[in-house]
C-alpha cells in the first residue's frame, strides 16, 4: 500500500517536472539592425541550450542580414521574404547616414526620424502578414507557450493573438524603454530616469530634467505605435499598451551591477550581459597577426568605434590628433579598427596597426591588452565590463552617451566628449592616465569580478522566468494597480490640493477668529476706558 502510494506520488511529481521542464517558445525577430538581432538570438540560444523548443521567426527587412548566422543550436528558423515596399524601407534603414554625428550634437529630437522609420517598417511587416497568413497558419498547431519580441516590433501582439499564445514577453535590446515601463505601471518619472537616447545620468540638473520630460512626453504622444487590428474576425483594434501591461515578464538588456539603480517591478527581469559568453570568449584563439602585434611591446591599446560609426568618416582633424597622440607614445602599440586601405594620413608610425576587422572579444580577453578606446555601444560596454579592461569612452550618438556614463561611474574608465578627439592635450592625458594610472585596472577588475559572481547569472534569470511564465501564463498578481490610476491621483496632486485647501481654510478661519477676538478685546477696552472716564 505504502509502496504503491509512493509510486503514485513519484509519478505525479515526475509528470509535473516534465511539464515545467520543456516548453515551446516563439522568438519573433524582424531583421533590421544587428544589435537587436543579437540580443534576441541570445535569448533563443539560451532557451534552446536549456532544453526547450524554440522557433525563431524572422521577417527580413534589410537584406544584408538574411545570411548572417545568428543561431547555432536553434534549428527551427523561419525567414519571411520582404515585398518591394518593405525592402525599400529596409534600404532606407541601411543607408541611414550617421556620419554627421561625428561633429553634430545629437539633439533631443535627432533620433526621431529613425524611431519613425521603425514604426513604418513594423507596420509594413504587420500588413504583409495580414495579406498572406500562410506563414502564421503553419505555426498554429505548434502550441507555443510564450512569445518573445522586442517592444519596438509592436506587431508581435497581433501574432500573439492570432496564434493564441497565452504568454507575452516584451524585451528590449537597450537598457530600458520608458513607454514599456509606463505600460506595465513601473515608476519611470523623467525626474529620475533619463531616456536611453539622452546623454544624462541619474543626477539631472533642472535643464536636463526639463529636456528629459519634454522628450518623454513628446515620444509618448508623437511616436505612438500605429493602430493595428487583429488578424482574425472580428478584426478588433488591438490595444498594444493594454497587451504589454498583461505581459508576464519583461526582459531588458540592463545589468543591475552595471546600470544605474532604479525602482523595478518584480516582472521586470534584467538580463544584461546575456550576450557575453565568457566560455566562448576564453576558448577563442587570437589570429597570428594580432598575436605578433601584441607581443611587440608591453602596452597595447585597441581603438574601435564599432560597426555603425566608421573611423574612416571622422573629420581629418580628429584623425590627425589621434595620430599625433599615438606618435607621442612610442612605447605603446595601438590597433585601430579602420575601414579603408587609404591610411596615408598616418605616415608610417611603427606603433600603429590598422585593421578593417578586429577580433574584439579575443583582444579584450588577452592579458597583453592594456586599454580600449571605444564609442560605448551597449554591446561593447557589456563585453568591456566582463573583460575587466580600463577604457576611454567617447560616445558619438544614440544610447552611447548614457552607456558611457553608466560604465564610467565604476571608476575603471575615462569619459571624453567626442570633440576632445580634436584636442591633443586632452586625448594625450587620457591615454597616459589609462595606460599608466593603477586605479583604472583595479576598478575595472572589481566590476568584472562582480559580473562573473552576480548571485543569479542572466542566463538563469531568463530561463527560470521564461518557464515560470510558460507554466502559469499571465500573472495578474504581478500587475500593480497604480498603472490604472489617473495622473492626478498617482502624483498625489488631488491630495496636495485637498490638504492645501484644508490648511488655507484653517488659516483663514484662524485669522477671522483672531480678528474677531481682537475686535472684541478692543471694544471691551474701549468700553472700559469709557466707563472710567464716565
Ligand atoms: C519539442 O519538439 C519535439 C520535436 O519536434 C517534439 O517531439 C516535442 O514534443 C516538443 N516539445 C514540446 C514540449 O512540445
Ligand atoms: C557559450 O560558448 C560555449 C563554448 O563555445 C558553447 O558551448 C555554449 O553553447 C555557449 N552558450 C550560449 C548560451 O551560447
Ligand atoms: C620607451 O622605452 C625606452 C626603453 O625602455 C625608454 O628608454 C624610453 O624612455 C621610453 N620612452 C617613453 C616616451 O616612455
Ligand atoms: C567612484 O569614485 C567616486 C569618487 O571617488 C566614489 O564616490 C564612488 O563610490 C566610486 N564608485 C565605485 C563604483 O567605485
Amino acid at each position: 500500500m505504502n509502496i504503491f502510494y509512493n509510486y503514485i506520488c513519484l509519478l505525479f511529481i515526475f509528470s509535473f517536472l516534465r511539464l515545467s521542464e520543456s516548453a515551446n517558445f516563439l522568438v519573433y525577430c524582424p531583421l533590421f539592425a544587428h544589435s537587436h538581432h543579437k540580443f534576441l538570438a541570445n535569448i533563443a540560444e539560451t532557451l534552446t541550450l536549456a532544453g526547450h523548443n524554440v522557433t525563431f521567426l524572422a521577417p527580413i527587412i534589410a537584406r544584408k542580414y538574411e545570411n548572417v548566422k545568428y543561431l547555432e543550436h536553434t534549428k527551427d528558423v523561419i525567414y519571411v521574404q520582404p515585398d518591394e515596399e518593405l525592402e525599400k524601407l529596409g534600404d532606407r534603414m541601411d543607408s541611414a547616414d550617421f556620419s554627421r554625428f561625428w561633429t553634430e550634437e545629437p539633439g533631443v529630437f535627432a533620433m526621431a526620424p529613425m524611431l519613425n522609420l521603425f514604426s513604418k517598417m513594423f507596420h509594413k511587416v504587420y500588413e504583409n502578414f495580414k495579406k498572406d497568413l500562410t506563414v502564421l497558419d503553419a505555426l498554429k498547431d505548434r502550441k507555443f507557450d510564450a512569445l518573445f519580441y522586442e517592444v519596438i516590433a509592436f506587431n508581435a501582439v497581433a501574432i500573439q493573438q492570432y496564434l493564441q499564445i497565452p504568454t507575452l514577453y516584451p524585451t528590449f535590446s537597450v537598457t530600458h524603454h520608458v513607454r514599456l515601463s509606463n505600460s506595465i505601471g513601473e515608476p519611470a518619472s523623467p525626474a529620475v530616469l533619463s531616456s536611453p537616447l539622452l546623454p544624462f545620468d541619474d543626477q539631472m540638473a533642472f535643464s536636463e530634467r526639463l529636456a528629459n520630460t519634454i522628450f518623454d512626453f513628446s515620444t509618448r504622444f508623437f511616436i505612438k505605435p500605429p493602430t493595428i487590428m487583429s488578424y482574425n474576425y472580428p478584426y478588433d483594434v488591438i490595444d498594444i499598451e493594454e497587451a504589454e501591461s498583461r505581459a508576464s515578464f519583461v526582459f531588458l538588456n540592463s545589468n543591475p551591477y552595471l546600470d544605474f539603480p532604479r525602482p523595478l517591478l518584480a516582472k521586470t527581469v534584467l538580463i544584461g550581459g546575456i550576450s557575453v559568453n565568457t566560455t566562448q570568449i576564453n576558448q577563442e584563439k587570437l589570429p597570428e597577426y594580432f598575436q605578433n602585434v601584441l607581443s611587440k611591446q608591453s602596452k597595447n591599446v585597441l581603438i574601435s568605434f564599432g560597426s555603425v560609426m566608421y573611423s574612416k568618416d571622422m573629420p581629418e582633424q580628429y584623425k590627425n590628433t589621434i595620430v599625433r597622440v599615438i606618435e607621442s607614445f612610442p612605447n605603446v602599440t595601438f590597433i585601430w579598427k579602420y575601414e579603408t586601405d587609404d591610411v596615408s594620413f598616418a605616415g608610417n608610425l611603427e606603433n600603429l596597426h590598422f585593421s578593417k576587422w578586429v577580433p574584439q572579444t579575443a583582444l579584450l580577453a588577452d592579458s597583453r591588452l592594456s586599454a580600449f578606446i571605444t564609442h560605448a555601444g551597449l554591446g561593447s560596454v557589456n563585453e568591456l565590463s566582463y573583460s575587466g579592461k580600463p577604457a576611454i569612452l567617447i560616445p558619438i550618438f544614440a544610447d552611447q552617451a548614457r552607456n558611457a556614463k553608466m560604465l564610467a561611474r565604476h571608476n575603471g574608465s575615462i569619459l571624453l566628449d567626442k570633440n576632445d578627439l580634436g584636442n591633443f592635450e586632452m586625448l594625450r592625458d587620457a591615454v597616459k592616465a589609462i595606460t599608466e594610472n593603477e586605479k583604472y585596472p583595479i576598478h575595472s577588475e572589481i566590476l568584472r569580478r562582480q559580473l562573473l559572481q552576480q548571485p543569479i547569472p542572466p542566463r538563469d534569470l531568463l530561463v527560470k522566468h521564461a518557464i515560470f511564465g510558460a507554466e502559469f501564463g499571465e500573472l495578474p498578481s504581478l500587475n500593480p494597480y497604480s498603472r490604472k490610476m489617473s495622473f492626478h491621483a498617482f502624483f498625489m496632486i488631488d491630495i496636495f490640493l485637498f490638504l492645501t485647501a484644508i490648511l488655507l481654510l484653517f488659516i483663514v478661519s484662524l485669522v477671522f477668529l483672531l480678528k474677531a477676538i481682537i475686535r472684541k478685546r478692543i471694544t471691551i477696552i474701549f468700553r472700559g476706558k469709557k466707563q472710567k472716564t464716565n
Side-chain angles (χ1 to χ4, degrees), residues 239-355:
D239 186 338
I240 292 171
E241 289 176 8
E242 172 66 23
E244 286 166 354
S245 79
R246 286 187 276 110
S248 305
F249 294 110
V250 161
F251 298 92
L252 301 178
N253 195 4
S254 158
N255 187 295
Y257 299 93
L258 173 60
D259 204 347
F260 299 104
R262 66 185 178 99
L264 293 172
L265 294 180
K267 71 160 66 180
T268 300
V269 185
L270 302 183
I271 56 168
I274 195 168
S275 311
V276 186
N277 184 343
T278 41
T279 322
Q280 186 195 333
I281 290 171
N282 291 335
Q283 286 171 5
E284 266 170 10
K285 252 190 96 61
L286 200 59
E288 194 68 28
Y289 170 76
F290 293 100
Q291 291 281 5
N292 291 336
V293 170
L294 287 188
S295 42
K296 286 184 187 196
Q297 305 198 77
S298 63
K299 283 185 179 161
N300 298 284
V301 174
L302 170 65
I303 307 174
S304 168
F305 290 95
S307 51
V308 175
M309 294 298 296
Y310 293 127
S311 291
K312 71 178 171 68
D313 296 330
M314 71 168 67
E316 294 302 315
Q317 190 207 355
Y318 291 3
K319 292 183 196 175
N320 294 334
T321 313
I322 295 175
V323 169
R324 277 174 58 211
V325 168
I326 292 174
E327 200 173 6
S328 70
F329 290 96
N331 290 356
V332 179
T333 299
F334 291 82
I335 300 168
W336 187 353
K337 177 186 169 287
Y338 198 87
E339 298 80 13
T340 62
D341 289 319
D342 179 20
V343 290
S344 49
F345 65 91
N348 270 326
L349 286 182
E350 276 225 354
N351 62 332
L352 172 55
H353 302 268
F354 289 102
S355 179

Side-chain angles (χ1 to χ4, degrees), residues 296-522:
K296 286 184 187 196
Q297 305 198 77
S298 63
K299 283 185 179 161
N300 298 284
V301 174
L302 170 65
I303 307 174
S304 168
F305 290 95
S307 51
V308 175
M309 294 298 296
Y310 293 127
S311 291
K312 71 178 171 68
D313 296 330
M314 71 168 67
E316 294 302 315
Q317 190 207 355
Y318 291 3
K319 292 183 196 175
N320 294 334
T321 313
I322 295 175
V323 169
R324 277 174 58 211
V325 168
I326 292 174
E327 200 173 6
S328 70
F329 290 96
N331 290 356
V332 179
T333 299
F334 291 82
I335 300 168
W336 187 353
K337 177 186 169 287
Y338 198 87
E339 298 80 13
T340 62
D341 289 319
D342 179 20
V343 290
S344 49
F345 65 91
N348 270 326
L349 286 182
E350 276 225 354
N351 62 332
L352 172 55
H353 302 268
F354 289 102
S355 179
K356 285 184 201 159
W357 172 82
V358 291
Q360 184 168 307
T361 46
L363 281 171
L364 284 173
D366 196 294
S367 60
R368 290 168 293 178
L369 192 84
S370 324
F372 185 21
I373 299 180
T374 170
H375 67 306
L378 191 52
S380 292
V381 165
N382 276 325
E383 287 169 7
L384 181 59
S385 308
Y386 272 88
S387 77
K389 294 284 189 231
I392 298 177
L393 309 166
I394 309 178
I396 314 292
F397 81 122
D399 61 336
Q400 296 159 8
R402 186 182 180 278
N403 299 339
K405 288 192 168 165
M406 169 176 98
L407 181 60
R409 198 170 65 104
H410 294 272
N411 298 338
S413 42
I414 296 172
L415 180 57
L416 287 188
D417 191 273
K418 65 187 170 197
N419 295 318
D420 296 338
L421 282 171
N423 183 332
F424 175 77
E425 281 82 23
M426 285 284 271
L427 194 58
R428 183 201 54 201
D429 292 350
V431 172
K432 189 171 166 57
I434 211 73
T435 51
E436 292 175 12
N437 190 329
E438 282 299 319
K439 86 170 204 204
Y440 296 108
I442 289 174
H443 282 102
S444 38
E445 177 62 16
I446 291 174
L447 178 60
R448 183 185 83 92
R449 288 183 42 229
Q450 287 182 352
L451 290 173
L452 289 178
Q453 293 177 37
Q454 52 193 302
I456 307 174
R459 273 177 232 287
D460 291 359
L461 282 173
L462 169 70
V463 173
K464 286 182 173 156
H465 285 90
I467 53 178
F468 191 85
E471 169 101 30
F472 293 104
E474 280 180 17
L475 299 166
S477 54
L478 296 188
N479 298 347
Y481 180 74
S482 59
R483 176 188 112 69
K484 294 186 190 148
M485 288 168 76
S486 60
F487 184 84
H488 63 267
F490 186 80
F491 288 102
M492 308 201 314
I493 294 173
D494 50 355
I495 302 280
F496 283 127
L497 285 179
F498 178 75
L499 291 180
T500 312
I502 296 277
L503 192 68
L504 280 179
L505 204 67
F506 178 71
I507 292 172
V508 169
S509 321
L510 203 67
V511 168
F512 268 100
L513 197 69
L514 280 177
K515 259 190 178 170
I517 291 172
I518 291 169
R519 205 177 292 145
K520 216 166 187 184
R521 263 273 153 96
I522 290 173

Side-chain angles (χ1 to χ4, degrees), residues 39-40 43 148-152 169-173 180 251-252:
F39 183 66
L40 283 168
I43 289 178
F148 284 89
Y149 73 107
E150 213 181 2
V151 63
I152 48 175
Y169 290 145
T171 73
F172 196 37
S173 60
L180 180 61
F251 298 92
L252 301 178

